[in-house]
Amino acid sequence: MGRREDVTTGPRAGLQEPAEPGFAGTAPASGTAQAPDAGGRADRVTPDGARTGGPAARMFAADAASRGLGMTLQAVGEGTASVGMTVTAAMVNGHGDAHGGFLFTLADTAFACACNSYGPQAVGAAADIVFVAPAREGDVLTAHAVERTRFGRSGIYDVRITRDDRVVAEFRGHSRVRRAVEG
């Protein structure tokens, strides 16, 4: 990947609204993870994805669009991911706010990393976003993705974009695992 990735564990404290269980975030990098719940997922981010060989990290390394926008994969676990991005002058619209398309792209990248954390190749089937507060040039944003449910080849993921622990946007994505192609 060329760059060393910052892998963190634990839920992020102090969000604008009470954080829902499973929202991955930043905490002291202890290198340990909470044991998975009955559904097989841990509420804490594990050092999976940012391991160089993890499926989400491999996918992110090949994602020239996200990396070209300065995004960094901060953490990945089973069904979770955190991706960071700093809003640049090129990302600001005519109102002086971060363009919604860049916020959507940040959330979509975290969603992609979370739904690809298991290994089978997954793609987005649908997504929507609600913009809660503006972001401005120089703001450091973090998108925290968490799996809500997986069923068959489908999944539903929520992504919260924050700035200084304040909610900027909420995103929901629906994933679909691709069928294996022989050939």
Side-chain angles (χ1 to χ4, degrees):
M1 283 208 231
R3 276 195 279 213
R4 185 177 168 180
E5 296 175 352
D6 175 27
V7 181
T8 57
T9 59
R12 184 175 194 128
L15 292 176
Q16 179 177 330
E17 300 172 7
E20 295 181 40
F23 265 104
T26 307
S30 66
T32 61
Q34 179 178 336
D37 61 17
R41 237 185 58 236
D43 281 341
R44 292 184 181 225
V45 176
T46 62
D48 160 45
R51 340 179 248 232
T52 14
R58 286 192 307 271
M59 181 205 64
F60 185 82
D63 184 348
S66 296
R67 288 183 302 103
L69 292 172
M71 292 184 199
T72 58
L73 179 59
Q74 297 174 343
V76 171
E78 289 186 351
T80 64
S82 293
V83 175
M85 179 182 81
T86 299
V87 178
T88 67
M91 297 176 182
V92 175
N93 64 22
H95 298 296
D97 299 330
H99 192 288
F102 290 107
L103 299 178
F104 187 95
T105 302
L106 174 62
D108 188 53
T109 299
F111 160 57
C113 290
C115 69
N116 278 280
S117 64
Y118 296 101
Q121 196 175 71
V123 295
D128 63 89
I129 192 167
V130 176
F131 302 107
V132 176
R136 306 235 191 268
E137 181 180 348
D139 285 352
V140 178
L141 306 176
T142 306
H144 308 285
V146 64
E147 175 183 287
R148 291 299 176 204
T149 188
R150 280 193 312 159
F151 50 99
R153 294 180 18 235
S154 300
I156 299 173
Y157 294 77
D158 285 339
V159 182
R160 176 174 286 165
I161 298 176
T162 59
R163 173 195 63 243
D164 297 328
D165 295 330
R166 310 239 349 132
V167 176
V168 172
E170 296 279 352
F171 170 106
R172 174 158 278 192
H174 301 258
S175 68
R176 187 80 172 160
V177 172
R178 289 183 171 174
R179 290 182 196 247
V181 179
E182 294 182 29

